[in-house]
Amino acid sequence: NAGVTQTPKFRILKIGQSMTLQCAQDMNHNYMYWYRQDPGMGLKLIYYSVGAGITDKGEVPNGYNVSRSTTEDFPLRLELAAPSQTSVYFCASTDSTNTEAFFGQGTRLTVV
Amino acid sequence: KNEVEQSPQNLTAQEGEFITINCSYSVGISALHWLQQHPGGGIVSLFMLSSGKKKHGRLIATINIQEKHSSLHITASHPRDSAVYICAVGGGATNKLIFGTGTLLAVQP
């Protein structure tokens, strides 16, 4: 089925560990996004990409890195995990006309 | 001030009531999305609006571009409508989506 595939669904990290959240879409969307959602708060943009090879920072990029080597994949890298990065992470994609937004299932990350 | 403001933040309704959730934005947009998130669940797109009004089942979404305002209406509300409803706007050179903080709706039987 077409859509956004995000893995893993759950992860517990120790402080200082690193990990990569995977995101892939099969709709040939140019625009991809990573958001985090803290309890009781709205979605905050971490990084976004408007096409392969192009990425840019969102509102809350510190502590994260991304790459976009292909149109399909947009992984999010956490370096030196901190408790403040405990959150639910969502990957999303849209086409160039913003017709519809597709979201991954979310990753619940806990840093202890 | 947030670029996208939603009201109310929390809403409790009785089954069968007509519900309205509002969204105001302060940036130029090409599209406005209404999204639904169930507790512990993922996010699904309900509507994308660039003008006028759309209807899907018991859900109606309207947008007034001049006033930079959109509303989501739910007619004959049902407990299964209980969820967080999120307004998001997209546009500009990067087309990135900017989200409101969401409205938590609880429909009681």
Side-chain angles (χ1 to χ4, degrees):
Chain A
N1 292 332
V4 177
T5 302
Q6 185 181 337
T7 57
K9 289 185 181 179
F10 302 94
R11 184 72 185 267
I12 299 174
L13 281 182
K14 293 183 179 178
I15 295 171
Q17 287 185 319
S18 300
M19 75 165 294
T20 299
L21 281 67
Q22 301 292 343
C23 177
Q25 52 88 14
D26 58 2
M27 298 168 284
N28 204 33
H29 283 171
N30 285 327
Y31 296 83
M32 295 187 75
Y33 314 82
W34 274 106
Y35 295 90
R36 59 177 286 172
Q37 186 179 38
D38 299 323
M41 305 290 287
L43 289 134
K44 298 289 187 183
L45 181 64
I46 304 171
Y47 270 95
Y48 65 98
S49 169
V50 300
I54 306 169
T55 62
D56 208 346
K57 296 177 181 179
E59 300 173 74
V60 289
N62 292 341
Y64 307 94
N65 274 302
V66 293
S67 60
R68 185 91 183 272
S69 57
T70 66
T71 299
E72 292 78 19
D73 299 298
F74 190 40
L76 177 72
R77 177 87 176 156
L78 277 74
E79 304 282 1
L80 299 175
S84 61
Q85 293 178 303
T86 294
S87 189
V88 180
Y89 292 82
F90 287 96
C91 177
S93 75
T94 62
D95 62 17
S96 303
T97 59
N98 228 326
T99 306
E100 188 172 355
F102 291 82
F103 288 82
Q105 291 183 309
T107 297
R108 187 173 296 275
L109 174 68
T110 303
V111 181
V112 296
Chain B
K1 189 179 188 301
N2 293 333
E3 292 171 298
V4 181
E5 298 273 0
Q6 279 186 243
S7 63
Q9 289 189 330
N10 294 281
L11 180 58
T12 300
Q14 293 298 121
E15 185 173 358
E17 285 185 0
F18 180 84
I19 290 164
T20 296
I21 300 170
N22 296 298
C23 175
S24 297
Y25 53 93
S26 58
V27 295
I29 69 169
S30 61
L32 183 143
H33 298 261
W34 279 104
L35 310 164
Q36 182 190 56
Q37 184 179 27
H38 282 283
I43 300 170
V44 296
S45 177
L46 297 174
F47 294 103
M48 188 284 291
L49 294 162
S50 55
S51 65
K53 176 179 176 179
K54 285 188 177 179
K55 185 176 188 292
H56 182 69
R58 294 180 295 105
L59 300 178
I60 303 167
T62 63
I63 187 169
N64 185 318
I65 298 294
Q66 287 73 30
E67 295 185 3
K68 294 188 174 180
H69 181 268
S70 175
S71 293
L72 176 69
H73 306 286
I74 304 175
T75 61
S77 59
H78 191 275
R80 65 174 174 265
D81 297 325
S82 298
V84 175
Y85 293 84
I86 303 169
C87 170
V89 300
T94 60
N95 217 25
K96 63 183 179 183
L97 293 175
I98 305 170
F99 290 81
T101 53
T103 295
L104 176 60
L105 171 65
V107 181
Q108 297 178 340

